[in-house]
Amino acid sequence: MSESILAAVMTAPRQPIELREFPRPDLPAGAVLLKTSLSEVCGTDVHLWHGRLAGVPYPIIPGHVSAGVVDAARGPVTGLDGSPIREGDRVVFFDVHRTCGRCRACTVHRTPTRCAARRVYGITDSANEGLFGGWARAIYLEPGVGIARLPDAVALDDYIGGGCGLLTAVHIAERAEIRLGDTVVVQGVGAVGLSAIALARIAGASRIIAIGAPQSRLALAGEMGADLLLELGATTPEARRQAVLDATHGEGADVVIEAAGAAAAISEGLDLARAGGRYVIAGHYTDVGDSNINAHQQINRKHLEIRGCWGSEARHFLRALSILERHPSIPFRKIGARRYALHELNDALADAEAMRIPKALVDPWQ
Ligand SMILES: [Zn+2]
Ligand SMILES: [Zn+2]
């Protein structure tokens, strides 16, 4: 790789993406320079572009989940599984870094995704600090970043197609505690919802009901494992509730997963869960406003359990790799609909914003 490295920079919200050259970084001991193979444009990148996330240190190089080949390693560097990472290895890395392991969130509450020191590649790392994002021909992996070899059996397109949505979905499945034979409703068929459907199937759900739009994504939800598809625009909330009751002996779903990111989805989701069921809310990654609920009718009297789900941890990253290795038939690659070059990322954001694609792939060498 040359001494200057091309990257696509989001300078500020609503500004066009700019191409910039960055100097090849000097590597301290334990650091790695990754030659990027593929990265992604997901819904979070659209939120970043809209300026809807707090504390983002623009300018940034977006692209949090990425894969590449080790161009240089100032060794010894070991992966999360303890094995050595060497030049030429095909690797992926956990985008969350600098989780401190010492604060109250990390130690007392055991909620490291709420650690204040935590940073995320492509989201909370500034481009002023260097190549901390996947929309670039190389990514600087600072010492301590969780690196793993991509298993030979896992196709690059499946890894990035699943990407951040799959990591989030692994965490969701854990929070949802899906049991064998459960009926699971997934609200939303974006990258997170689609992965959550596939994982609910693996986790033993007997029936999976997907609610979402547009029709093309809903069709993909069927390919990911959903049994019943309810299109948002073509059905009323009452009709959807009736469909869920009809499928569950009139009880409602054992588990409802919110991956829609719409305020109106919350009240509906509460109504779709059975009494004593569980509702996991994971789609409200940005503040989309208040949801109107009746605590007596929808929560207290129903004896309902509601759980939030924020971010992911290294164990979700490693479990995602195991799932991809074990289940090559799940078409994660179809979530990543199209490849874009670095100079096409304004188009990629526009396509993701208009929901023409669930996720765009970034090929910085195209
Ligand atoms: Zn901490
Ligand atoms: Zn993402």
Side-chain angles (χ1 to χ4, degrees):
M1 226 167 354
S2 65
E3 288 308 300
S4 80
I5 291 162
L6 191 66
V9 177
M10 189 180 282
T11 58
R14 303 279 183 185
Q15 295 305 305
I17 302 301
E18 286 180 13
L19 293 188
R20 288 187 191 169
E21 299 274 358
F22 287 74
R24 184 185 168 96
D26 293 324
L27 301 181
V32 164
L33 189 67
L34 199 63
K35 183 181 176 186
T36 314
S37 303
L38 271 184
S39 186
E40 62 171 17
V41 180
C42 74
T44 298
D45 298 308
V46 177
H47 292 320
L48 288 167
W49 191 45
H50 289 170
R52 294 188 60 93
L53 295 180
V56 176
Y58 301 97
I60 58 170
I61 302 172
H64 40 279
V65 171
S66 314
V69 174
V70 175
D71 187 71
R74 183 108 185 268
V77 179
T78 46
L80 284 166
D81 66 357
S83 66
I85 297 292
R86 299 194 178 92
E87 286 174 16
D89 284 349
R90 191 175 76 135
V91 302
V92 292
F93 63 97
F94 185 45
D95 57 344
V96 178
H97 62 128
R98 298 200 191 181
T99 304
C100 79
R102 294 186 303 274
C103 68
R104 286 181 60 82
C106 284
T107 59
V108 179
H109 309 310
R110 300 263 180 111
T111 52
T113 67
R114 299 298 305 142
C115 173
R118 173 185 186 268
R119 289 188 13 178
V120 187
Y121 274 77
I123 300 177
T124 60
D125 289 319
S126 172
N128 293 332
E129 294 184 54
L131 295 161
F132 283 91
W135 296 6
R137 289 187 168 172
I139 307 166
Y140 169 70
L141 302 183
E142 68 174 14
V145 169
I147 304 174
R149 243 182 304 280
L150 189 62
D152 291 341
V154 179
L156 205 53
D157 281 20
D158 279 324
Y159 178 75
I160 299 290
C164 56
L166 174 57
L167 263 61
T168 304
V170 175
H171 198 180
I172 290 170
E174 187 181 277
R175 296 285 279 166
E177 293 182 50
I178 296 163
R179 297 189 185 104
L180 296 173
D182 272 352
T183 293
V184 176
V185 170
V186 177
Q187 299 175 284
V189 289
V192 174
L194 290 168
S195 286
I197 289 165
L199 299 193
R201 173 65 70 211
I202 296 172
S206 65
R207 194 189 298 262
I208 301 166
I209 301 167
I211 299 173
Q215 183 55 44
S216 57
R217 287 194 194 185
L218 207 54
L220 184 51
E223 290 189 59
M224 299 300 284
D227 304 288
L228 182 61
L229 308 172
L230 300 173
E231 191 181 349
L232 212 50
T235 53
T236 62
E238 294 73 34
R240 293 192 288 272
R241 178 150 191 266
Q242 193 57 51
V244 172
L245 291 175
D246 289 346
T248 56
H249 313 284
E251 293 178 335
D254 302 291
V255 171
V256 180
I257 292 167
E258 186 275 323
I266 302 302
S267 181
E268 179 172 347
L270 293 169
D271 285 340
L272 297 178
R274 67 165 165 81
R278 193 171 296 122
Y279 190 27
V280 177
I281 297 174
H284 279 53
Y285 187 68
T286 60
D287 187 343
V288 293
D290 296 345
S291 303
N292 230 335
I293 60 173
N294 182 304
H296 170 70
Q297 295 282 354
Q298 295 178 294
I299 303 172
N300 198 330
R301 191 160 163 261
K302 282 183 81 165
H303 194 64
L304 196 71
E305 189 177 349
I306 302 173
R307 294 182 176 181
C309 182
W310 184 255
S312 47
E313 299 173 44
R315 70 171 183 278
H316 306 119
F317 166 66
L318 292 173
R319 282 168 192 268
L321 290 176
S322 301
I323 290 162
L324 288 164
E325 191 174 17
R326 174 66 184 80
H327 298 279
S329 61
I330 301 173
F332 287 107
R333 71 198 77 90
K334 291 192 179 178
I335 300 174
R338 232 191 92 185
R339 288 184 183 223
Y340 295 75
L342 290 179
H343 66 269
E344 296 173 320
L345 291 175
N346 289 301
D347 300 336
L349 284 168
D351 286 345
E353 182 184 37
M355 292 175 65
R356 284 189 282 269
I357 47 169
K359 180 189 289 190
L361 303 188
V362 180
D363 178 353
W365 300 94
Q366 193 165 289

